[in-house]
Amino acid sequence: MADDLSSALRELADSAGSPAPTTGAEVRRRAASRRRRRHTALAGGTAVAAAALVFGLTMALGGPEPDQRPAPPAASPTAPSPIAPSPTVPSPTATTAVVACAEGGLAFSATNQDEQGKSIRHLLLTVTNTGNTKCHLYQYPYLKFANARSPIAVIKDSEDAPVTLAPGEKAYAALLASGGRMDTYDTDTIPLSLQGPTPGSKVSDPIDIDLPGQVPFDDGARVTHWTTASGLALRFIMSS
């Protein structure tokens, strides 16, 4: 206690002109106050040094900065919802197949294409669908007289796709009756057979078609394929 009092008296004596305390109690009070200030300053310095040490160690070890927050975990991808199977669509009802034209649903005619008064050589054969369904008309008119060795030849250049006739529609074939040969056969009817998809495959018995008068036929006779354009068919025979 005497040492503390002596230190206090020396400090007060060294102060700038402050008179020494007159009582021992005052001296002890001031000495205690100075000790508290020294302890406070020492504690504050120690705290600052400790904080600086912690900060230095944190930076050296690569720790996160004070304001940095760890990134939230990535959200797991949402599993796709199962796709509902498409409802089964019923297949459309199969359409009725178009069949070959038959005699019962057709009407035939033959018209003269030559000038009046001249021998009939150029004819236009016409077939009309008189039924109530579509049908295919294949190949060309199969024309063969009963006593002939072979049918009338077809003009190959006139070949076209099969003709499809809707109810009421017409198709045409041009017929050259004679090619200027010597032997002729005069007749006012001609037997016509309908063909199938394969040339020569007949789908009907011979149908007798009325001609516009007596017509002389010879070995030079020719016929075209069926077509829906009468002018196109006649083009193959009118120059002969």
Side-chain angles (χ1 to χ4, degrees):
M1 186 70 179
D3 293 337
D4 292 339
L5 181 60
S6 298
S7 296
L9 289 174
R10 284 195 299 271
E11 291 175 0
L12 289 174
D14 293 336
S15 61
S18 296
T22 57
T23 63
E26 181 65 20
V27 171
R28 288 193 294 272
R29 185 185 65 78
R30 291 185 179 183
S33 177
R34 285 185 173 86
R35 284 197 300 272
R36 285 197 297 271
R37 287 199 298 269
R38 286 200 299 271
H39 291 161
T40 301
L42 179 60
T46 303
V48 171
L53 177 61
V54 171
F55 177 80
L57 290 173
T58 301
M59 295 302 294
L61 295 175
E65 295 183 1
D67 293 337
Q68 186 174 356
R69 298 292 186 272
S76 60
T78 304
S81 57
I83 300 174
S86 301
T88 303
V89 179
S91 58
T93 304
T95 56
T96 304
V98 179
V99 298
C101 294
E103 177 184 357
L106 301 174
F108 298 88
S109 64
T111 54
N112 180 21
Q113 301 299 306
D114 292 303
E115 294 180 9
Q116 187 175 2
K118 288 188 175 182
S119 177
I120 301 174
R121 296 180 58 239
H122 304 90
L123 297 162
L124 181 66
L125 303 177
T126 303
V127 59
T128 305
N129 184 352
T130 58
N132 54 14
T133 59
K134 289 182 179 181
C135 63
H136 284 318
L137 199 61
Y138 293 101
Q139 311 301 332
Y140 52 90
Y142 185 89
L143 307 171
K144 184 177 182 300
F145 293 108
N147 297 324
R149 290 175 295 181
S150 59
I152 292 177
V154 64
I155 301 174
K156 294 182 179 179
D157 290 346
S158 67
E159 184 176 2
D160 203 350
V163 172
T164 301
L165 290 182
E169 291 184 339
K170 300 178 183 293
Y172 308 92
L175 172 60
L176 177 65
S178 61
R181 308 291 175 86
M182 297 295 296
D183 297 331
T184 61
Y185 173 72
D186 295 345
T187 179
D188 58 2
T189 63
I190 188 170
L192 183 153
S193 296
L194 299 172
Q195 296 192 72
T198 304
S201 60
K202 292 183 289 184
V203 297
S204 74
D205 293 330
I207 306 164
D208 287 333
I209 308 300
D210 290 334
L211 299 176
Q214 289 289 323
V215 180
F217 285 85
D218 62 22
D219 291 342
R222 297 289 185 271
V223 67
T224 68
H225 283 259
W226 292 112
T227 180
T228 56
S230 59
L232 177 61
L234 289 170
R235 182 170 63 87
F236 288 98
I237 67 167
M238 294 308 293
S239 60
S240 301

